[in-house]
Amino acid sequence: MNLREGRVGNGECVFTLVISLCMSGLFVFESIDAYTHGNSTYISLPIACILAFSVFAVGIFAMTRSRSSDLCAMCSYALGKTGAAVVCVFIIVIILACISTLLNKFLNVMYSYFFQDASYYSLAAFFLAVLVVFSCMGFETVNRAAKVLGVVFLATHILLLVNSFSSYETYKIYPIAGDGMKSMLRFAFESGILFLPGFVSALITAKGMHGTHNTSRIAVKALIFTVIICTVTQLLLALSYPYDDIAKLYMPLYRMSMVTGEENFLVRLDKISAFIWVAAALLACSYYIYSASLLYCRSFRQVDIRPASCSLSVIVIMLCLLSHSEKRGAFSWLNFVGDYGTLLLAVPIIAVSVIAIIKSCIQRSSLGEVGHANI
Amino acid sequence: MNKFFRKIAFYFRFDNSATNNFELLETEFGEPSKSADEDSGKQYNPKDDTADTLFYEADKNIDRIKTAFRTDISKDLVVRDFMLCGRIHATLAFINGMADNEIVNNYILRDGMNGEIPEGTEDLCKYAVEHIFTVNDMSIACDYDTVRKALPDGKTIIFIDGDPHCCIADTRKFPQRSVEAAENEKGVLGPREAFIENIRTNISLIRRHVHTDDLVCEMRPMGEETSTAVGILYRDKVASESLVNEVKRKLATIKTGSVLSTGIINQMAEPKPFSPIPQTLLTEKPDRCASYLLDGHVVILCDGSPLAAILPVTLFSLMSTPEDSYSRQVTGTVLRIIRYIGALISIILPGIFIAIVMYHHGFLSSEMLSTLITSRKMVFIPIGIELLLLLFVFQLVREAGMRVPGTVGQAIGIIGGLVLGQAVVSANLASSVVLILVALTGLGTFCIPDYSTQISSVYLRIIFMIAGWMGGFLGLGCAWLIFTAYICTLKSFGVPFLTPYAPKSKSKRMNVLRGPINNKTHKEDYMQ
């Protein structure tokens, strides 16, 4: 089998997961949805992350109970091969939709802020090259690159937040809980789809992460770091802009740095950080594409991951480009995924996990009865 | 052409092997890779070829040697008949100028003629070696191939009538230069001596630093025509057995006619010879070799070459110098950081400049922008071509300076730098800003300690320049990501290239920041 899982350590996996979760959590959602009724994203995003983690926890518990090495094995155990294939394809489609949303965001950023004279196609070609290379080179490469570049991402992010220190004013944060608990929880629930692909990818690549126990440890560490980063970033954003101003901004973090940064030698930090975010987003997307390819290969017994990786990379880029073309109406299902994605991704995983747990309990009890009968 | 297509097909095939790479056991959850080559890490078994035996008659053996060495044309071979112990006919042969005449005269001929040998002795060669000849290094051979290789090596062959064996005496004495200071790896602190072309002397220089009894030196003849002595040095039970076996296996696959230098072995033994990043470290300093040997690395020496190949290596090995260890901790750390910044400048600065000038003017302040515009006002060449041209001129000056000996070579550098640079600016072929950039890039290149990595940086920066030219910071960022992916995947004889950072290991070996030198008795865990 040429599935390119390699051998990776805990630290590398944590970096990959944190980068993937943070990129989705900080940049994918639309400002108008998040901030129109007050800014409570510093509360709702951590709740969304914990919600996504709980789905992961159910899945990993079921995998441990059923002694499955990864998500595909658990689906096969619970539903049989055909059923597993159907569920896996569904999960892959949802993950692809999430990847295209993330990638589309940065494609728009590149086009709008830096390369107005270029076309979407030429910009997407650069993205495609990176996605193909990373997803084909495999899990080991993605994780090690995440560890190498993760420090740069984190340092730039901290520098950006510190550089905007002069713009933080507490009155801008009001109303503190946004429009109320109901809308906050609703947004938290809808934002679960931002973090679910990362945790689901961890379930898919659990074998490469050296087992379910190790994967759960990695996910817990990633959860802690992601919650801290997302909470702090959204809080500082809320301190920089009142909610009605921030709702009009396409990329609030970028604009925050651009407008409120101190006049010092770091005055161009907004542009540098934009490109660093693009690199992080490409890394995150590569990880998702790799995990989707791995799920496909395991479901359909493919021996080599490279055809699947290349194909899925191209599909993702096509989804991004087609949403900018005349046929964008045909891809309104992407908006549907954005609105109901939490349910679409969480329900199959929870259902399969429950079936797997029940099946394993039945098997264990029947083995226990046989044991008693033998005595 | 067929080989090319087979290579392409190999890369795209969908069967079991992921890569043809050998993998060492890793520290975190390691088990031997199932994707490695079938033969990887297997025990090396040298070919035992004793089929072509010698004759009982010494004259027949000598006639065969004379025919092979063309004594009718070449008068290098010296043949001397003598009576061993006054009664048994024997003949010795050696190559004129390669054997020590004093040893031949005093310890073979004189002792051989004056010795005594009992009647009825069957193993004449064995008896002669043990009781008659007083040369310290002697062996007995029974096959023609060993004799054929020993003569050009400077050894003396003695054939005795009535014995199908021959005695081989180590009488080597070549003119050679003395141990001098290293030319290419200069340092302020630490030892200055460097390897020379004699492998025996080089091994002794290493043994002066490594006083352990587990230091093993396995000699292999390599090259069908040159039979060059190649030494594989490692510490038994310290170096990984899989690594040593893999190195021997790789060397055994080298079937070339001539091996004249460590560089040739390097190219043929490296896992990825076409990689821009070297996977072995070539050094001319014995103390550096000793340091890596103590950690469990393997060193390859080649007779006739003043360079040793250390493997496996990581990025941090290629970027460190022995000077870092001999300096104080803070000094060593600062020097390293400067070196890494220099290397980064060398590779990426031209690309950043092109990207800013062509796509991202907003990065520059208005003063800098006006300076740039003013300096390029009269230059008619596009900025990308201008930068490429100046980088090319810089390489020309560098190559010319290396080929021209002594102080004239230094003068070439000054002439090229000052006069040519000034002339180019005056002729409006280039701007002063670009000239400064090229100079900075060149200085950054020289910060890289390893010569092979320096050369790699030359074409890596061209790639980044083209990426910046095509896509600005987006193109540059994507190229950087792809390059990072490549070095994350790269392995040097089973050890990932970014060890001990990614993957993490418990290594206390100094990386970017130089740690304190503690009481360290354990060897690197990623070398186990």
Side-chain angles (χ1 to χ4, degrees):
Chain A
M1 299 284 264
N2 190 7
L3 299 179
R4 307 261 174 158
E5 285 176 290
R7 279 175 284 172
V8 290
N10 284 357
E12 292 154 21
C13 296
V14 170
F15 267 97
T16 309
L17 214 46
V18 167
I19 289 172
S20 310
L21 293 170
C22 289
M23 291 316 293
S24 302
L26 291 176
F27 296 106
V28 174
F29 59 85
E30 293 293 337
S31 304
I32 201 160
D33 296 333
Y35 304 116
T36 305
H37 302 290
N39 188 357
S40 58
T41 48
Y42 48 88
I43 303 171
S44 43
L45 280 180
I47 294 174
C49 194
I50 292 167
L51 192 72
F53 179 76
S54 57
V55 173
F56 166 84
V58 171
I60 207 80
F61 176 72
M63 278 164 60
T64 313
R65 290 284 293 191
S66 61
R67 300 215 175 112
S68 308
S69 56
D70 55 24
L71 182 66
C72 182
M74 184 179 72
C75 292
S76 301
Y77 176 81
L79 304 172
K81 286 182 188 170
T82 313
V86 169
V87 169
C88 290
V89 166
F90 183 74
I91 292 172
I92 289 169
V93 168
I94 303 297
I95 290 178
L96 287 181
C98 298
I99 298 171
S100 68
T101 314
L102 173 61
L103 218 53
N104 207 15
K105 187 88 178 190
F106 285 96
L107 198 60
N108 287 334
V109 165
M110 287 290 109
Y111 180 78
S112 312
Y113 296 139
F114 297 100
F115 300 104
Q116 293 92 348
D117 296 334
S119 67
Y120 281 107
Y121 295 95
S122 50
L123 295 173
F126 286 98
F127 286 6
L128 180 63
V130 175
L131 291 178
V132 166
V133 165
F134 265 101
S135 55
C136 286
M137 278 187 161
F139 194 49
E140 200 177 79
T141 305
V142 171
N143 281 280
R144 286 192 186 147
K147 193 171 183 193
V148 169
L149 298 171
V151 177
V152 175
F153 299 154
L154 191 65
T156 318
H157 196 69
I158 291 171
L159 208 58
L160 186 114
L161 295 177
V162 166
N163 195 39
S164 307
F165 186 74
S166 59
S167 67
Y168 301 146
E169 284 163 354
T170 48
Y171 75 88
K172 293 174 186 170
I173 203 174
Y174 286 95
I176 288 178
D179 198 30
M181 192 63 75
K182 200 174 166 187
S183 64
M184 192 168 65
L185 288 173
R186 184 173 48 80
F187 182 72
F189 182 78
E190 284 171 5
S191 304
I193 189 58
L194 301 175
F195 301 102
L196 267 172
F199 285 117
V200 169
S201 298
L203 287 175
I204 295 168
T205 54
K207 194 173 178 189
M209 292 185 183
H210 307 289
T212 52
H213 177 63
N214 213 44
T215 307
S216 55
R217 282 169 58 195
I218 289 167
V220 165
K221 288 178 193 170
L223 170 74
I224 294 168
F225 283 115
T226 307
V227 163
I228 292 172
I229 292 171
C230 289
T231 307
V232 168
T233 308
Q234 289 299 331
L235 188 63
L236 294 178
L237 210 52
L239 292 173
S240 300
Y241 288 102
Y243 73 93
D244 48 353
D245 288 342
I246 204 175
K248 297 170 199 160
L249 299 174
Y250 183 67
M251 188 93 157
L253 262 178
Y254 175 71
R255 299 302 292 266
M256 175 181 89
S257 163
M258 193 167 77
V259 171
T260 61
E262 287 279 340
E263 278 295 323
N264 53 21
F265 65 95
L266 294 174
V267 71
R268 302 289 183 263
L269 190 60
D270 52 331
K271 294 179 174 37
I272 296 169
S273 54
F275 285 100
I276 290 178
W277 290 331
V278 167
L282 287 171
L283 206 62
C285 292
S286 307
Y287 175 53
Y288 294 152
I289 289 174
Y290 172 80
S291 56
S293 312
L294 187 66
L295 188 62
Y296 171 80
C297 289
R298 289 211 192 279
S299 307
F300 294 96
R301 308 286 189 272
Q302 301 293 307
V303 296
D304 196 319
I305 201 170
R306 288 172 297 180
S309 302
C310 291
S311 312
L312 292 184
S313 305
V314 171
I315 290 171
V316 161
I317 293 292
M318 289 310 298
L319 284 174
C320 294
L321 289 173
L322 286 168
S323 63
H324 291 282
S325 68
E326 293 162 358
K327 296 191 176 22
R328 65 174 76 89
F331 292 88
S332 57
W333 64 275
L334 287 172
N335 296 331
F336 181 78
V337 170
D339 293 335
Y340 300 100
T342 310
L343 278 174
L344 288 173
L345 199 49
V347 164
I349 289 173
I350 293 174
V352 169
S353 304
V354 166
I355 295 170
I357 292 169
I358 293 169
K359 246 185 160 176
S360 70
C361 288
I362 293 170
Q363 269 188 357
R364 281 182 194 205
S365 59
S366 64
L367 279 171
E369 280 173 10
V370 167
H372 283 305
N374 284 338
I375 291 167
Chain B
M1 193 59 107
N2 277 339
K3 201 176 170 185
F4 174 73
F5 284 128
R6 260 187 271 131
K7 249 191 162 46
I8 302 279
F10 172 77
Y11 186 75
F12 281 105
R13 72 184 190 199
F14 294 155
D15 64 357
N16 288 337
S17 26
T19 60
N20 204 20
N21 281 340
F22 161 72
E23 283 197 31
L24 265 183
L25 290 177
E26 291 189 5
T27 56
E28 289 183 294
F29 315 103
E31 57 181 31
S33 168
K34 294 178 178 54
S35 63
D37 196 339
E38 277 181 11
D39 292 331
S40 288
K42 273 191 182 171
Q43 185 73 34
Y44 166 73
N45 292 315
K47 198 172 60 168
D48 184 22
D49 183 12
T50 54
D52 193 0
T53 53
L54 298 168
F55 298 109
Y56 275 83
E57 296 84 6
D59 288 335
K60 279 189 180 174
N61 289 323
I62 279 295
D63 287 339
R64 192 178 178 187
I65 296 282
K66 280 181 178 177
T67 311
F69 280 82
R70 297 190 174 65
T71 49
D72 52 337
I73 307 168
S74 168
K75 304 299 176 192
D76 281 347
L77 188 71
V78 174
V79 175
R80 172 72 155 86
D81 291 313
F82 66 101
M83 300 304 284
L84 182 68
C85 304
R87 58 185 185 84
I88 302 172
H89 176 246
T91 313
L92 67 80
F94 61 89
I95 304 274
N96 198 2
M98 295 186 81
D100 189 348
N101 289 335
E102 192 183 331
I103 296 176
V104 172
N105 291 339
N106 295 332
Y107 304 110
I108 298 177
L109 283 174
R110 182 182 296 167
D111 290 345
M113 289 175 188
N114 296 333
E116 284 181 12
I117 194 164
E119 291 280 347
T121 304
E122 289 187 0
D123 292 327
L124 293 168
C125 282
K126 189 168 183 284
Y127 187 88
V129 165
E130 287 174 2
H131 296 93
I132 299 173
F133 300 127
T134 52
V135 180
N136 60 353
D137 187 356
M138 286 199 81
S139 59
I140 297 170
C142 62
D143 63 301
Y144 174 72
D145 201 48
T146 309
V147 170
R148 188 178 62 82
K149 288 176 183 169
L151 269 173
D153 213 17
K155 296 180 182 174
T156 301
I157 312 296
I158 304 125
F159 296 109
I160 303 174
D161 261 345
D163 194 335
H165 296 85
C166 72
C167 308
I168 302 176
D170 189 352
T171 55
R172 286 177 287 191
K173 186 179 179 185
F174 316 116
Q176 62 186 27
R177 65 186 174 104
S178 54
V179 175
E180 294 163 357
E183 285 184 7
N184 300 316
E185 292 178 56
K186 295 190 188 300
V188 178
L189 309 170
R192 312 278 171 91
E193 59 188 13
F195 290 129
I196 61 172
E197 282 75 10
N198 187 311
I199 193 172
R200 286 285 159 202
T201 310
N202 294 340
I203 293 170
S204 66
L205 287 172
I206 293 174
R207 283 196 180 274
R208 278 176 53 198
H209 293 277
V210 183
H211 289 171
T212 59
D213 52 356
D214 54 8
L215 180 63
V216 169
C217 176
E218 288 192 34
M219 301 296 282
R220 299 256 184 283
M222 291 190 65
E224 299 289 331
E225 292 155 24
T226 55
S227 288
T228 310
V230 169
I232 307 167
L233 284 88
Y234 58 93
R235 285 181 67 195
D236 192 31
K237 303 283 187 290
V238 171
S240 161
E241 200 178 324
S242 309
L243 171 65
V244 173
N245 288 339
E246 179 65 12
V247 171
K248 290 182 198 173
R249 191 188 70 83
K250 280 278 187 186
L251 292 180
T253 59
I254 297 173
K255 299 284 179 213
T256 186
S258 63
V259 171
L260 297 172
S261 165
T262 316
I264 293 174
I265 298 172
N266 209 28
Q267 289 174 63
M268 303 190 82
E270 263 187 350
K272 290 189 180 176
F274 293 107
S275 165
I277 312 291
Q279 295 121 69
T280 55
L281 176 63
L282 291 178
T283 180
E284 54 179 11
K285 297 196 76 175
D287 58 308
R288 205 173 185 190
C289 285
S291 165
Y292 281 99
L293 276 171
L294 289 167
D295 279 340
H297 291 248
V298 174
V299 170
I300 298 175
L301 292 170
C302 175
D303 193 29
S305 173
L307 291 172
I310 299 171
L311 49 97
V313 291
T314 62
L315 173 69
F316 308 103
S317 309
L318 291 174
M319 292 296 294
S320 67
T321 63
E323 204 71 11
D324 300 339
S325 308
Y326 301 138
S327 311
R328 295 168 68 234
Q329 185 183 348
V330 174
T331 316
T333 302
V334 167
L335 287 174
R336 276 198 179 176
I337 290 172
I338 292 171
R339 202 177 300 139
Y340 278 99
I341 292 172
L344 210 60
I345 286 173
S346 154
I347 293 172
I348 212 158
L349 187 63
I352 290 176
F353 179 76
I354 288 256
I356 289 175
V357 166
M358 293 187 74
Y359 295 95
H360 307 292
H361 304 132
F363 271 83
L364 299 174
S365 63
S366 49
E367 292 90 359
M368 281 177 73
L369 210 50
S370 65
T371 308
L372 190 62
I373 293 168
T374 314
S375 71
R376 292 205 78 243
K377 209 170 168 185
M378 299 299 290
V379 177
F380 54 89
I381 309 174
I383 192 158
I385 304 288
E386 179 190 347
L387 195 51
L388 273 174
L389 182 71
L390 280 178
L391 286 171
F392 179 66
V393 167
F394 179 84
Q395 287 304 315
L396 280 179
V397 168
R398 187 185 171 191
E399 283 297 313
M402 280 172 65
R403 304 286 164 254
V404 178
T407 50
V408 181
Q410 292 170 14
I412 293 263
I414 296 166
I415 291 166
L418 292 177
V419 175
L420 198 59
Q422 189 58 40
V424 156
V425 171
S426 304
N428 294 325
L429 288 172
S431 59
S432 50
V433 171
V434 173
L435 197 64
I436 293 167
L437 190 97
V438 168
L440 275 175
T441 305
L443 286 173
T445 308
F446 292 124
C447 285
I448 300 170
D450 181 49
Y451 178 72
S452 304
T453 315
Q454 275 184 24
I455 302 300
S456 303
S457 73
V458 170
Y459 51 88
L460 279 174
R461 82 171 69 109
I462 304 288
I463 293 170
F464 284 114
M465 239 186 73
I466 293 171
W469 197 344
M470 285 169 59
F473 272 129
L474 180 64
L476 200 59
C478 292
W480 185 256
L481 277 174
I482 291 172
F483 177 67
T484 307
Y486 179 74
I487 60 170
C488 288
T489 316
L490 194 63
K491 287 187 170 75
S492 165
F493 287 86
V495 175
F497 195 64
L498 295 178
T499 312
Y501 180 68
K504 178 173 153 290
S505 78
K506 294 176 198 154
S507 168
K508 297 286 191 295
R509 192 167 194 99
M510 302 155 274
N511 299 327
V512 178
L513 300 178
R514 219 216 73 179
I517 295 187
N518 291 326
N519 293 329
K520 187 177 85 156
T521 54
H522 68 272
K523 68 178 178 79
E524 303 304 326
D525 58 347
Y526 64 83
M527 290 300 304
Q528 290 173 1

